[in-house]
């Protein structure tokens, strides 16, 4: 009799499956309410929950104060390059490092509000700080297997009438970026759409004229093992674009466009 009961019990366990039993055991007191709230939270408030995004604010405000550190050669993807550069500025003296920092902070905040885990490659914008170097920026998403890494810059072209944004992507180049070229291009196109949706125009001074530029000379892109793009948000030497970049409203619009692009890429 006892043996038969054990066999029956075993049959019940096998029939239900251990997963089902475990789920039953783990169920909260009021599963319907819990489940309902959980679903609402995931779908309406935190669409980027579980995503990891690296934002790389270009340069650092104090780079020009540390020429020895900044000029030290570092690996950049089959060759070496200086650790970092000082970046450009508007004619009025608003530095690229500060613009990149301010926009990056807005982007990071919005992405975190959407549920994403966001890592920044630098944590300050100060005259008494330098770096990080391009090799560290390049690898910033690798160990954490980030969903993407977006590097934020602005350009400084003195060409007459030069304006607009462009997005730089790595080429299909083994053994460095052949593995990320295709998804990086998808990211770049999504970012371009996002910025266009926020009423920004593609650069009129970059070959191709489509707002996309493929470059193999950037350590920040070459050393990445995760999809990556570098965006030059505009030309800081253009008086019209400088006005947008130096205004909080303008920076918020840049951030909106970038976040829309990231969300589009992540689906
Ligand atoms: Zn830059």
């Amino acid at each position: 009799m006892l043996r038969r009961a054990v066999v029956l019990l075993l049959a019940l366990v096998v029939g239900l499956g251990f997963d089902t039993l475990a789920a039953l055991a783990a169920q909260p007191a009021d599963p319907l309410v819990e489940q309902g709230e959980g679903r609402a939270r995931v779908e309406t408030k935190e669409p980027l929950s579980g995503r990891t995004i690296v934002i790389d604010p270009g340069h650092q405000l104090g780079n020009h104060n540390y020429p020895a550190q900044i000029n030290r050669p570092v690996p950049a993807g089959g060759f070496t390059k200086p650790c970092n550069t000082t970046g450009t500025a508007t004619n009025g003296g608003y530095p690229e490092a500060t613009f990149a920092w301010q926009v990056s902070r807005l982007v990071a905040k919005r992405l975190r509000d959407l549920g994403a885990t966001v890592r920044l490659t630098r944590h300050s914008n100060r005259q008494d700080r330098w770096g990080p170097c391009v090799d560290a920026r390049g690898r910033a998403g690798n160990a954490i297997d980030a969903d993407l890494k977006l590097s934020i810059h602005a350009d400084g072209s003195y060409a007459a009438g030069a304006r607009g944004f462009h997005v730089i992507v790595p080429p299909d180049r083994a053994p460095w970026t052949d593995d990320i070229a295709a998804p990086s291009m998808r990211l770049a196109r999504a970012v371009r759409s996002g910025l266009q949706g926020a009423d920004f125009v593609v650069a009129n001074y970059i070959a191709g004229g489509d707002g996309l530029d493929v470059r193999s000379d950037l350590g920040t892109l070459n050393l990445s093992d995760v999809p990556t793009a570098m965006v030059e948000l505009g030309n800081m030497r253009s008086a019209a674009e400088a006005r947008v970049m130096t205004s909080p409203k303008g920076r918020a619009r840049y951030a909106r466009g970038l976040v829309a692009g990231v969300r589009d890429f992540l689906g």
Side-chain angles (χ1 to χ4, degrees):
M1 247 346 225
L2 183 64
R3 214 166 79 187
R4 210 157 133 172
V6 169
V7 169
L8 270 173
L9 187 64
L10 273 175
L12 188 70
V13 166
V14 171
L16 279 172
F18 287 103
D19 287 348
T20 315
L21 285 178
L24 283 172
Q27 252 178 9
D30 193 345
L32 286 178
V33 171
E34 288 280 324
Q35 201 181 26
E37 282 179 356
R39 195 181 298 134
R41 184 179 62 80
V42 168
E43 284 178 6
T44 62
K45 281 191 193 156
E46 299 194 334
L48 298 186
S49 164
R51 303 295 199 159
T52 304
I53 297 163
V54 175
I55 300 294
D56 174 39
H59 314 279
Q60 166 61 278
L61 190 58
N63 276 0
H64 64 104
N65 294 320
Y66 298 87
Q69 288 88 338
I70 288 311
N71 290 320
R72 179 172 65 87
V74 297
F79 50 91
T80 63
K81 280 190 93 164
C83 156
N84 215 302
T85 56
T86 57
T88 186
T90 65
N91 291 336
Y94 175 61
E96 179 191 353
T98 300
F99 174 62
W101 175 247
Q102 292 179 320
V103 171
S104 293
R105 294 262 299 215
L106 293 174
V107 169
K109 186 192 182 310
R110 179 65 182 141
L111 292 174
R112 284 179 181 134
D113 287 347
L114 292 167
T117 299
V118 180
R119 299 273 185 90
L120 294 170
T121 56
R122 62 177 164 107
H123 307 284
S124 66
N125 189 61
R126 293 167 54 135
Q127 290 287 356
D128 61 351
R129 294 281 189 281
W130 60 273
C133 299
V134 291
D135 56 335
R137 293 174 192 262
R139 298 185 183 113
N142 298 359
I144 56 173
D145 196 24
D147 290 278
L148 67 97
K149 178 168 69 76
L150 184 62
S151 189
I152 296 177
H153 288 249
D155 214 353
S157 169
Y158 288 98
R163 61 169 299 183
F165 75 87
H166 66 284
V167 192
I168 307 169
V169 285
D172 183 340
R173 184 172 73 99
W176 300 101
T177 48
D178 49 324
D179 52 339
I180 58 162
S184 296
M185 182 57 89
R186 281 201 300 279
L187 172 62
R189 290 181 193 280
V191 167
R192 178 179 62 179
S193 296
L195 287 170
Q196 286 174 322
D199 287 333
F200 293 103
V201 296
V202 298
N204 60 5
Y205 63 98
I206 301 295
D210 60 356
L212 301 175
D213 195 11
V214 180
R215 285 175 59 174
S216 60
D217 62 321
L218 298 168
T220 296
L221 302 181
N222 288 342
L223 298 181
S224 182
D225 292 333
V226 304
T228 188
M230 178 184 290
V231 59
E232 299 280 2
L233 285 173
N235 181 14
M236 299 195 87
R237 299 295 172 181
S238 151
E241 296 203 304
R243 273 195 295 278
V244 179
M245 292 174 180
T246 53
S247 86
K249 248 176 94 172
R251 289 192 294 270
R253 186 154 62 90
Y254 278 115
R256 255 199 326 276
L258 293 172
V259 169
V262 166
R263 291 190 68 173
D264 179 16
F265 173 74
L266 292 174

